[in-house]
Amino acid sequence: MDFVQVVEEDGEEPIELPIEPDKNLLLSTLQSTFPGASGLKYLNEETKCFRGIRLNDGKLYPPSESGWGNHVYHCVFPKENKRKSDDQLENSTAKTKRMESRARCTDLIVLGLPWKTTEESLRAYFETFGEVLMAQIKKDVHSGQSKGFGFVRFGSYDVQARVLSNRHSIDGRWCEVKVPNSKGAPNQIPCKVFVGRCTEDITAEDLKEYFSKFGEVTDVFIPRPFRAFSFVTFLDPEVAASLCGEDHIVKGVSLHVSSAAPKYEHHRNSYHNANNGGRNSHHNSHNENPHGGLFKSKGPTMHNSSGNYYANTAPPPNEGGSAMLGGGNNTGGAPVNRENTYPRGNRGNYMMTQQPPAANTNNSSSNFNSSQNRPLDMHMQTLGINPPPGPNSTQNMGMGLNLNSLPMNTAILAAALNQFGLLGNPEQSGNFLSWMAHSSNSNNMLANNPGNRGPNSVNSGANTANQPTEATN
DNA sequence: GTTGAGCGTT
Protein backbone atom coordinates (compact mmCIF):
# COMPACT_ATOMS: atom_id res chain seq x y z
CA MET A 1 0.00 0.00 0.00
CA ASP A 2 1.22 3.48 -0.81
CA PHE A 3 1.12 6.43 1.48
CA VAL A 4 1.07 10.16 1.22
CA GLN A 5 2.72 12.40 3.78
CA VAL A 6 0.43 15.03 5.16
CA VAL A 7 0.83 17.79 7.71
CA GLU A 8 -1.70 20.11 9.13
CA GLU A 9 0.68 23.00 9.71
CA ASP A 10 4.10 23.70 8.35
CA GLY A 11 6.85 22.30 10.52
CA GLU A 12 4.78 19.52 12.01
CA GLU A 13 5.65 15.90 11.82
CA PRO A 14 3.99 14.47 8.69
CA ILE A 15 1.43 11.73 9.01
CA GLU A 16 1.31 9.10 6.33
CA LEU A 17 -2.11 8.44 4.94
CA PRO A 18 -2.92 5.41 2.83
CA ILE A 19 -4.02 5.91 -0.75
CA GLU A 20 -6.49 3.74 -2.57
CA PRO A 21 -5.56 1.10 -5.17
CA ASP A 22 -6.49 3.58 -7.89
CA LYS A 23 -3.96 6.03 -6.37
CA ASN A 24 -6.57 8.43 -5.09
CA LEU A 25 -6.64 9.62 -1.54
CA LEU A 26 -10.09 9.57 -0.06
CA LEU A 27 -11.16 12.82 1.52
CA SER A 28 -12.66 10.76 4.30
CA THR A 29 -9.27 9.24 4.95
CA LEU A 30 -7.79 12.68 5.18
CA GLN A 31 -10.53 13.91 7.45
CA SER A 32 -10.30 10.97 9.78
CA THR A 33 -6.86 12.22 10.69
CA PHE A 34 -7.42 15.90 10.04
CA PRO A 35 -10.98 16.72 10.96
CA GLY A 36 -12.36 19.61 9.05
CA ALA A 37 -9.80 19.45 6.28
CA SER A 38 -11.35 20.12 2.93
CA GLY A 39 -8.39 19.40 0.68
CA LEU A 40 -4.66 19.27 0.17
CA LYS A 41 -1.97 21.44 -1.30
CA TYR A 42 1.75 21.15 -1.74
CA LEU A 43 4.58 23.53 -2.43
CA ASN A 44 5.51 23.53 -6.07
CA GLU A 45 9.27 23.90 -6.14
CA GLU A 46 9.27 25.42 -9.61
CA THR A 47 6.87 28.21 -8.92
CA LYS A 48 7.31 28.43 -5.16
CA CYS A 49 3.58 28.50 -4.95
CA PHE A 50 1.27 26.14 -3.26
CA ARG A 51 -0.55 23.98 -5.70
CA GLY A 52 -3.96 22.64 -4.87
CA ILE A 53 -4.88 19.03 -5.24
CA ARG A 54 -7.84 18.15 -7.36
CA LEU A 55 -10.83 16.97 -5.41
CA ASN A 56 -13.76 15.30 -7.04
CA ASP A 57 -16.44 13.13 -5.61
CA GLY A 58 -14.68 12.73 -2.31
CA LYS A 59 -11.40 11.70 -3.90
CA LEU A 60 -8.16 13.60 -3.99
CA TYR A 61 -6.20 13.02 -7.15
CA PRO A 62 -2.43 12.81 -7.38
CA PRO A 63 -0.91 15.93 -8.90
CA SER A 64 0.78 14.20 -11.81
CA GLU A 65 0.75 11.08 -13.93
CA SER A 66 3.57 9.69 -11.87
CA GLY A 67 1.57 9.86 -8.72
CA TRP A 68 1.93 11.67 -5.45
CA GLY A 69 5.72 11.98 -5.53
CA ASN A 70 7.68 12.89 -2.46
CA HIS A 71 5.90 16.08 -1.57
CA VAL A 72 4.76 16.78 1.92
CA TYR A 73 1.17 17.77 1.52
CA HIS A 74 -0.52 20.41 3.60
CA CYS A 75 -4.08 20.27 4.71
CA VAL A 76 -6.41 22.90 3.39
CA PHE A 77 -9.16 24.10 5.64
CA PRO A 78 -12.12 26.08 4.49
CA LYS A 79 -12.01 29.70 5.34
CA GLU A 80 -15.17 30.74 7.02
CA ASN A 81 -15.33 34.20 5.63
CA LYS A 82 -14.18 33.34 2.20
CA ARG A 83 -17.49 34.07 0.58
CA LYS A 84 -18.06 37.68 1.08
CA SER A 85 -18.79 38.36 -2.51
CA ASP A 86 -21.83 36.17 -2.65
CA ASP A 87 -23.95 39.16 -3.34
CA GLN A 88 -22.38 39.50 -6.72
CA LEU A 89 -23.47 36.06 -7.70
CA GLU A 90 -26.99 35.93 -8.85
CA ASN A 91 -27.34 32.61 -10.55
CA SER A 92 -29.55 30.05 -8.99
CA THR A 93 -26.84 28.05 -7.34
CA ALA A 94 -25.49 31.19 -5.78
CA LYS A 95 -28.95 31.91 -4.57
CA THR A 96 -29.15 28.53 -2.99
CA LYS A 97 -25.83 29.22 -1.39
CA ARG A 98 -27.11 32.49 -0.12
CA MET A 99 -30.15 30.89 1.37
CA GLU A 100 -27.96 28.46 3.18
CA SER A 101 -25.72 31.11 4.56
CA ARG A 102 -28.71 33.04 5.71
CA ALA A 103 -30.03 30.05 7.56
CA ARG A 104 -29.11 30.17 11.15
CA CYS A 105 -27.12 27.71 13.13
CA THR A 106 -28.72 25.58 15.72
CA ASP A 107 -27.25 23.68 18.56
CA LEU A 108 -26.19 20.27 17.40
CA ILE A 109 -26.30 17.20 19.52
CA VAL A 110 -23.23 15.03 19.65
CA LEU A 111 -24.10 11.47 20.48
CA GLY A 112 -21.85 8.65 21.45
CA LEU A 113 -19.12 10.64 23.09
CA PRO A 114 -16.57 8.73 25.09
CA TRP A 115 -17.08 9.07 28.80
CA LYS A 116 -13.77 10.73 29.07
CA THR A 117 -14.50 13.51 26.61
CA THR A 118 -14.55 16.90 28.25
CA GLU A 119 -16.05 20.13 27.09
CA GLU A 120 -12.56 21.30 26.35
CA SER A 121 -11.68 18.37 24.17
CA LEU A 122 -15.05 18.50 22.49
CA ARG A 123 -14.51 22.12 21.67
CA ALA A 124 -10.97 21.51 20.54
CA TYR A 125 -12.14 18.83 18.17
CA PHE A 126 -14.84 20.93 16.56
CA GLU A 127 -12.71 24.03 16.36
CA THR A 128 -10.84 22.34 13.58
CA PHE A 129 -13.98 22.92 11.54
CA GLY A 130 -14.58 26.51 12.45
CA GLU A 131 -15.63 28.83 15.18
CA VAL A 132 -17.28 27.06 18.06
CA LEU A 133 -19.73 29.19 20.01
CA MET A 134 -20.62 26.58 22.56
CA ALA A 135 -19.57 23.10 23.47
CA GLN A 136 -21.08 21.29 26.35
CA ILE A 137 -21.15 17.81 27.76
CA LYS A 138 -24.25 16.63 29.51
CA LYS A 139 -23.30 15.24 32.85
CA ASP A 140 -24.93 13.50 35.72
CA VAL A 141 -25.82 16.19 38.19
CA HIS A 142 -24.52 14.28 41.16
CA SER A 143 -21.53 12.39 39.92
CA GLY A 144 -20.45 14.83 37.26
CA GLN A 145 -19.97 11.84 35.01
CA SER A 146 -20.57 12.48 31.34
CA LYS A 147 -23.76 11.08 29.98
CA GLY A 148 -22.01 10.45 26.72
CA PHE A 149 -23.58 13.18 24.75
CA GLY A 150 -23.29 16.88 24.41
CA PHE A 151 -24.13 19.89 22.36
CA VAL A 152 -22.13 22.09 20.12
CA ARG A 153 -22.93 25.26 18.29
CA PHE A 154 -21.03 26.79 15.43
CA GLY A 155 -20.65 30.34 14.35
CA SER A 156 -21.41 29.73 10.73
CA TYR A 157 -23.95 27.69 8.95
CA ASP A 158 -21.41 26.48 6.43
CA VAL A 159 -19.38 25.00 9.21
CA GLN A 160 -22.45 23.47 10.74
CA ALA A 161 -23.36 21.93 7.42
CA ARG A 162 -19.92 20.48 7.00
CA VAL A 163 -19.96 19.04 10.49
CA LEU A 164 -23.33 17.48 9.88
CA SER A 165 -22.13 15.87 6.71
CA ASN A 166 -19.06 14.28 8.23
CA ARG A 167 -18.45 11.40 10.50
CA HIS A 168 -16.59 12.23 13.64
CA SER A 169 -14.07 10.35 15.64
CA ILE A 170 -13.79 12.16 18.92
CA ASP A 171 -11.31 11.00 21.50
CA GLY A 172 -11.15 7.68 19.76
CA ARG A 173 -14.82 6.96 19.36
CA TRP A 174 -17.14 7.41 16.43
CA CYS A 175 -19.76 9.93 17.32
CA GLU A 176 -22.88 11.10 15.68
CA VAL A 177 -23.69 14.76 15.20
CA LYS A 178 -27.27 15.64 14.47
CA VAL A 179 -29.81 18.37 14.73
CA PRO A 180 -31.45 17.59 18.04
CA ASN A 181 -34.93 16.22 18.08
CA SER A 182 -35.77 18.89 20.55
CA LYS A 183 -35.45 21.40 17.78
CA GLY A 184 -37.60 21.97 14.84
CA ALA A 185 -36.10 22.48 11.48
CA PRO A 186 -33.58 25.27 11.42
CA ASN A 187 -35.10 28.58 10.73
CA GLN A 188 -35.67 29.11 7.13
CA ILE A 189 -37.40 31.71 5.16
CA PRO A 190 -41.02 30.87 4.46
CA CYS A 191 -41.97 30.05 0.92
CA LYS A 192 -45.63 30.43 1.62
CA VAL A 193 -47.65 33.60 1.62
CA PHE A 194 -51.08 34.33 2.88
CA VAL A 195 -53.39 35.85 0.32
CA GLY A 196 -56.25 37.73 1.85
CA ARG A 197 -59.40 39.31 0.41
CA CYS A 198 -59.95 36.47 -1.99
CA THR A 199 -63.29 36.16 -3.64
CA GLU A 200 -64.94 32.89 -4.34
CA ASP A 201 -64.49 33.05 -8.06
CA ILE A 202 -60.74 33.19 -7.80
CA THR A 203 -59.50 29.69 -8.37
CA ALA A 204 -56.26 28.06 -7.46
CA GLU A 205 -55.43 28.08 -11.11
CA ASP A 206 -56.02 31.81 -11.28
CA LEU A 207 -53.70 32.37 -8.38
CA LYS A 208 -51.08 30.09 -9.76
CA GLU A 209 -51.20 31.73 -13.12
CA TYR A 210 -51.02 35.20 -11.69
CA PHE A 211 -48.32 34.62 -9.12
CA SER A 212 -46.17 32.51 -11.40
CA LYS A 213 -44.95 35.66 -13.02
CA PHE A 214 -42.99 36.37 -9.87
CA GLY A 215 -41.51 32.93 -9.52
CA GLU A 216 -42.33 29.29 -9.62
CA VAL A 217 -45.45 28.51 -7.68
CA THR A 218 -45.31 25.10 -6.12
CA ASP A 219 -48.62 25.06 -4.38
CA VAL A 220 -51.84 26.93 -4.04
CA PHE A 221 -54.22 26.12 -1.28
CA ILE A 222 -57.71 27.48 -0.94
CA PRO A 223 -59.45 26.39 2.23
CA ARG A 224 -62.88 24.96 1.74
CA PRO A 225 -65.47 25.97 2.54
CA PHE A 226 -64.68 29.36 1.17
CA ARG A 227 -63.05 31.63 3.68
CA ALA A 228 -61.77 34.50 1.63
CA PHE A 229 -58.13 33.67 1.86
CA SER A 230 -55.68 31.27 0.39
CA PHE A 231 -52.06 30.30 0.49
CA VAL A 232 -49.59 30.45 -2.32
CA THR A 233 -46.30 28.66 -1.99
CA PHE A 234 -43.30 29.62 -4.04
CA LEU A 235 -40.25 27.63 -4.76
CA ASP A 236 -38.09 30.58 -3.88
CA PRO A 237 -38.66 32.00 -0.42
CA GLU A 238 -37.28 35.31 -1.57
CA VAL A 239 -40.07 35.64 -4.04
CA ALA A 240 -42.52 34.94 -1.27
CA ALA A 241 -40.87 37.48 0.96
CA SER A 242 -40.79 40.07 -1.77
CA LEU A 243 -44.53 39.91 -2.24
CA CYS A 244 -45.47 40.23 1.38
CA GLY A 245 -47.27 43.42 2.16
CA GLU A 246 -48.28 44.02 -1.41
CA ASP A 247 -51.66 44.28 -3.00
CA HIS A 248 -52.21 42.41 -6.22
CA ILE A 249 -55.15 42.56 -8.52
CA VAL A 250 -56.40 39.23 -9.71
CA LYS A 251 -59.60 39.01 -11.68
CA GLY A 252 -60.30 42.56 -10.77
CA VAL A 253 -60.02 41.87 -7.07
CA SER A 254 -57.39 43.46 -4.91
CA LEU A 255 -55.75 40.71 -2.97
CA HIS A 256 -53.47 41.36 -0.10
CA VAL A 257 -50.37 39.27 0.28
CA SER A 258 -48.89 38.84 3.69
CA SER A 259 -46.75 36.49 5.61
CA ALA A 260 -48.30 33.11 6.17
CA ALA A 261 -46.16 32.65 9.18
CA PRO A 262 -45.71 35.67 11.30
CA LYS A 263 -42.68 35.08 13.34
CA TYR A 264 -43.21 35.76 16.95
CA GLU A 265 -39.87 35.28 18.54
CA HIS A 266 -40.65 34.49 22.10
CA HIS A 267 -37.41 32.83 22.91
CA ARG A 268 -34.33 34.21 21.41
CA ASN A 269 -32.73 30.91 20.74
CA SER A 270 -35.87 29.20 19.73
CA TYR A 271 -36.15 27.44 16.49
CA HIS A 272 -38.82 25.23 17.78
CA ASN A 273 -40.98 23.93 15.10
CA ALA A 274 -39.83 26.66 12.86
CA ASN A 275 -41.50 26.90 9.58
CA ASN A 276 -39.34 25.23 7.07
CA GLY A 277 -40.65 27.37 4.33
CA GLY A 278 -42.70 24.69 2.76
CA ARG A 279 -39.80 23.47 0.79
CA ASN A 280 -40.21 19.98 2.01
CA SER A 281 -43.86 20.06 2.51
CA HIS A 282 -45.64 21.25 -0.49
CA HIS A 283 -48.21 18.61 -0.15
CA ASN A 284 -48.51 18.65 3.52
CA SER A 285 -48.20 22.08 4.77
CA HIS A 286 -51.50 23.71 5.11
CA ASN A 287 -52.00 22.82 8.68
CA GLU A 288 -55.42 21.74 7.81
CA ASN A 289 -56.58 19.25 10.27
CA PRO A 290 -59.74 18.05 8.69
CA HIS A 291 -60.53 15.30 11.07
CA GLY A 292 -60.69 17.38 14.11
CA GLY A 293 -57.97 15.58 15.94
CA LEU A 294 -54.50 16.31 16.98
CA PHE A 295 -51.74 15.63 14.63
CA LYS A 296 -50.72 12.12 15.15
CA SER A 297 -47.05 12.54 15.39
CA LYS A 298 -45.71 12.22 18.83
CA GLY A 299 -42.42 12.97 20.23
CA PRO A 300 -40.60 15.12 22.62
CA THR A 301 -42.47 18.24 23.44
CA MET A 302 -41.58 21.21 21.45
CA HIS A 303 -41.83 24.65 22.73
CA ASN A 304 -43.92 25.78 19.93
CA SER A 305 -44.70 28.83 18.16
CA SER A 306 -41.77 30.53 16.58
CA GLY A 307 -42.74 30.55 13.01
CA ASN A 308 -45.91 28.68 13.40
CA TYR A 309 -48.49 29.29 10.85
CA TYR A 310 -50.97 31.57 12.16
CA ALA A 311 -54.42 30.30 12.38
CA ASN A 312 -54.66 29.68 8.77
CA THR A 313 -57.44 27.22 8.74
CA ALA A 314 -60.47 26.47 10.71
CA PRO A 315 -62.26 23.18 10.89
CA PRO A 316 -65.33 22.61 8.85
CA PRO A 317 -68.49 23.54 10.67
CA ASN A 318 -69.59 21.06 13.25
CA GLU A 319 -66.16 19.74 13.64
CA GLY A 320 -65.26 21.94 16.50
CA GLY A 321 -63.08 20.57 19.15
CA SER A 322 -60.12 20.15 16.95
CA ALA A 323 -56.90 21.72 17.85
CA MET A 324 -54.81 23.14 15.17
CA LEU A 325 -51.44 22.47 16.46
CA GLY A 326 -48.30 24.12 15.95
CA GLY A 327 -46.70 24.34 13.19
CA GLY A 328 -46.21 24.95 9.90
CA ASN A 329 -45.19 21.73 8.73
CA ASN A 330 -44.41 18.94 11.02
CA THR A 331 -42.20 17.44 8.47
CA GLY A 332 -39.82 14.73 9.23
CA GLY A 333 -41.89 13.64 12.13
CA ALA A 334 -41.34 16.94 13.77
CA PRO A 335 -42.86 16.71 17.16
CA VAL A 336 -45.94 18.55 17.99
CA ASN A 337 -46.41 20.68 20.95
CA ARG A 338 -49.29 19.67 23.04
CA GLU A 339 -48.73 22.28 25.63
CA ASN A 340 -50.46 25.09 23.94
CA THR A 341 -53.57 23.27 23.04
CA TYR A 342 -56.69 24.29 24.71
CA PRO A 343 -58.04 22.16 27.42
CA ARG A 344 -60.70 19.76 26.36
CA GLY A 345 -64.14 21.18 26.54
CA ASN A 346 -63.08 24.63 25.56
CA ARG A 347 -64.77 25.41 22.35
CA GLY A 348 -62.83 27.15 19.74
CA ASN A 349 -59.82 25.07 20.23
CA TYR A 350 -57.54 26.95 18.01
CA MET A 351 -53.96 27.35 18.70
CA MET A 352 -53.38 30.86 19.70
CA THR A 353 -49.69 30.57 19.07
CA GLN A 354 -49.02 31.91 22.47
CA GLN A 355 -51.24 31.34 25.37
CA PRO A 356 -54.51 29.68 25.97
CA PRO A 357 -57.18 32.14 26.90
CA ALA A 358 -57.42 33.21 30.44
CA ALA A 359 -59.40 31.03 32.73
CA ASN A 360 -62.00 33.68 33.00
CA THR A 361 -64.13 32.79 30.05
CA ASN A 362 -66.61 35.45 30.96
CA ASN A 363 -64.13 37.99 29.91
CA SER A 364 -65.79 39.37 26.88
CA SER A 365 -62.69 40.06 24.97
CA SER A 366 -61.44 36.56 25.31
CA ASN A 367 -64.44 35.40 23.40
CA PHE A 368 -63.53 37.19 20.28
CA ASN A 369 -60.96 34.79 19.33
CA SER A 370 -63.52 32.11 19.53
CA SER A 371 -65.95 33.82 17.31
CA GLN A 372 -67.13 31.07 15.09
CA ASN A 373 -64.24 29.10 16.38
CA ARG A 374 -61.78 31.25 14.57
CA PRO A 375 -59.14 33.43 16.05
CA LEU A 376 -59.57 37.06 15.38
CA ASP A 377 -56.09 37.23 13.98
CA MET A 378 -57.17 34.98 11.22
CA HIS A 379 -59.95 37.35 10.39
CA MET A 380 -57.45 40.10 10.33
CA GLN A 381 -55.31 38.23 7.91
CA THR A 382 -58.35 37.53 5.86
CA LEU A 383 -58.70 41.24 5.60
CA GLY A 384 -55.10 41.64 4.71
CA ILE A 385 -54.15 43.03 8.07
CA ASN A 386 -51.15 41.56 9.66
CA PRO A 387 -51.37 40.98 13.35
CA PRO A 388 -48.83 43.23 14.94
CA PRO A 389 -45.58 41.54 15.70
CA GLY A 390 -43.98 41.51 19.06
CA PRO A 391 -43.85 39.22 22.01
CA ASN A 392 -46.62 40.89 23.88
CA SER A 393 -48.97 41.58 21.14
CA THR A 394 -51.27 38.67 21.64
CA GLN A 395 -51.49 39.40 25.26
CA ASN A 396 -53.13 42.68 24.68
CA MET A 397 -56.77 42.36 25.31
CA GLY A 398 -56.02 38.71 25.53
CA MET A 399 -56.72 38.43 21.89
CA GLY A 400 -53.79 38.87 19.72
CA LEU A 401 -54.16 42.52 19.09
CA ASN A 402 -52.31 45.57 19.98
CA LEU A 403 -54.94 48.05 19.15
CA ASN A 404 -52.67 50.96 18.82
CA SER A 405 -50.67 49.27 16.16
CA LEU A 406 -53.64 48.47 14.02
CA PRO A 407 -53.33 50.17 10.74
CA MET A 408 -56.99 50.93 10.58
CA ASN A 409 -60.01 52.09 12.36
CA THR A 410 -61.55 49.39 14.45
CA ALA A 411 -64.95 50.41 13.22
CA ILE A 412 -63.82 49.60 9.74
CA LEU A 413 -62.53 46.32 11.00
CA ALA A 414 -65.81 45.51 12.61
CA ALA A 415 -67.70 46.49 9.53
CA ALA A 416 -65.43 44.41 7.42
CA LEU A 417 -65.78 41.43 9.68
CA ASN A 418 -69.50 41.77 9.46
CA GLN A 419 -69.23 42.13 5.77
CA PHE A 420 -67.42 38.85 5.61
CA GLY A 421 -69.92 37.25 7.87
CA LEU A 422 -67.26 36.50 10.38
CA LEU A 423 -69.23 37.68 13.32
CA GLY A 424 -71.90 35.12 13.10
CA ASN A 425 -72.64 34.62 16.74
CA PRO A 426 -74.82 37.49 17.85
CA GLU A 427 -73.71 37.10 21.40
CA GLN A 428 -70.13 37.28 20.45
CA SER A 429 -70.76 39.99 17.97
CA GLY A 430 -72.24 41.95 20.79
CA ASN A 431 -69.09 41.42 22.71
CA PHE A 432 -67.10 42.45 19.78
CA LEU A 433 -69.03 45.60 19.30
CA SER A 434 -68.71 46.54 22.92
CA TRP A 435 -65.04 45.85 22.79
CA MET A 436 -64.83 47.93 19.71
CA ALA A 437 -66.50 50.78 21.44
CA HIS A 438 -63.98 50.48 24.21
CA SER A 439 -61.02 50.26 22.03
CA SER A 440 -62.17 52.96 19.75
CA ASN A 441 -62.27 55.28 22.67
CA SER A 442 -59.13 54.13 24.21
CA ASN A 443 -56.94 54.25 21.24
CA ASN A 444 -58.35 57.42 19.86
CA MET A 445 -58.89 55.97 16.50
CA LEU A 446 -62.27 57.51 16.28
CA ALA A 447 -61.60 60.49 18.43
CA ASN A 448 -58.44 61.08 16.48
CA ASN A 449 -56.97 63.09 19.24
CA PRO A 450 -53.68 61.54 20.05
CA GLY A 451 -52.81 63.87 22.84
CA ASN A 452 -55.95 63.34 24.78
CA ARG A 453 -56.14 60.37 27.04
CA GLY A 454 -58.36 61.72 29.67
CA PRO A 455 -59.91 60.02 32.60
CA ASN A 456 -62.39 58.36 30.32
CA SER A 457 -59.83 56.15 28.82
CA VAL A 458 -60.86 52.60 29.38
CA ASN A 459 -57.53 51.03 28.89
CA SER A 460 -56.82 48.60 31.59
CA GLY A 461 -53.46 48.62 33.22
CA ALA A 462 -52.55 45.43 31.53
CA ASN A 463 -53.17 46.93 28.19
CA THR A 464 -51.64 50.25 28.74
CA ALA A 465 -48.42 48.52 29.51
CA ASN A 466 -48.13 47.85 25.86
CA GLN A 467 -49.39 51.06 24.55
CA PRO A 468 -46.92 53.25 22.85
CA THR A 469 -46.02 56.13 25.02
CA GLU A 470 -46.86 59.44 23.64
CA ALA A 471 -44.30 61.41 25.50
CA THR A 472 -41.09 59.84 26.49
CA ASN A 473 -39.82 62.51 28.74
C1' DG B 1 -16.84 1.79 40.42
C1' DT B 2 -20.63 -0.32 35.90
C1' DT B 3 -23.04 1.68 30.61
C1' DG B 4 -23.55 3.04 24.76
C1' DA B 5 -29.37 4.66 23.15
C1' DG B 6 -30.65 8.92 23.62
C1' DC B 7 -32.23 14.74 23.12
C1' DG B 8 -30.48 19.81 26.70
C1' DT B 9 -31.98 21.55 35.21
C1' DT B 10 -29.89 27.27 32.06
Side-chain angles (χ1 to χ4, degrees), chain A residues 156-177:
Chain A
S156 104
Y157 190 81
D158 289 343
V159 172
Q160 166 172 312
R162 191 154 12 94
V163 166
L164 282 169
S165 64
N166 279 8
R167 293 182 67 208
H168 301 278
S169 175
I170 303 174
D171 292 334
R173 197 171 196 280
W174 285 108
C175 302
E176 212 179 349
V177 179

Side-chain angles (χ1 to χ4, degrees), chain A residues 426-440:
Chain A
E427 194 179 347
Q428 290 174 350
S429 299
N431 286 339
F432 179 87
L433 293 171
S434 64
W435 163 76
M436 190 192 75
H438 270 210
S439 59
S440 301

Side-chain angles (χ1 to χ4, degrees), chain A residues 289-336:
Chain A
N289 184 10
H291 303 299
L294 302 176
F295 279 118
K296 283 184 183 138
S297 62
K298 294 194 173 174
T301 300
M302 294 179 61
H303 297 280
N304 181 30
S305 76
S306 166
N308 283 336
Y309 278 106
Y310 205 78
N312 45 11
T313 59
N318 307 322
E319 283 197 32
S322 66
M324 189 183 75
L325 280 181
N329 296 305
N330 292 312
T331 50
V336 161

Side-chain angles (χ1 to χ4, degrees), chain A residues 159-210:
Chain A
V159 172
Q160 166 172 312
R162 191 154 12 94
V163 166
L164 282 169
S165 64
N166 279 8
R167 293 182 67 208
H168 301 278
S169 175
I170 303 174
D171 292 334
R173 197 171 196 280
W174 285 108
C175 302
E176 212 179 349
V177 179
K178 304 196 303 195
V179 174
N181 293 336
S182 52
K183 301 278 189 203
N187 238 358
Q188 290 179 342
I189 301 168
C191 298
K192 186 191 286 189
V193 296
F194 179 95
V195 181
R197 300 196 301 244
C198 292
T199 54
E200 205 155 8
D201 64 319
I202 296 177
T203 66
E205 198 47 51
D206 293 331
L207 293 171
K208 179 163 190 171
E209 184 186 337
Y210 175 81

